[in-house]
Amino acid sequence: MMTICALSKRGYGSIKELQELDTPDFLDVVEFEQMSNAIERYEIEQRR
């Protein structure tokens, strides 16, 4: 449930919408968010 709340807060949809996603679609959203976060961390680290 924490992942759903975090994704909702980041703008991926409402909690209800995220709960209704099929498993493959939900996992795609999670994977995309993780990759985006990794890229963002890398870019911040490169600026230092």
Side-chain angles (χ1 to χ4, degrees):
M1 185 66 167
M2 271 182 76
T3 302
I4 289 175
C5 290
L7 290 172
S8 179
K9 189 174 183 180
R10 296 278 297 190
Y12 288 95
S14 69
I15 291 173
K16 183 173 174 51
E17 290 171 331
L18 291 167
Q19 287 175 327
E20 291 175 350
L21 287 176
D22 291 337
T23 301
D25 292 336
F26 177 74
L27 293 176
D28 285 345
V29 172
V30 171
E31 183 179 22
F32 178 80
E33 179 64 13
Q34 289 175 336
M35 287 188 303
S36 296
N37 288 338
I39 292 168
E40 186 176 325
R41 284 191 307 272
Y42 173 79
E43 290 175 343
I44 290 170
E45 193 63 34
Q46 291 302 306
R47 289 184 204 138
R48 293 183 184 186

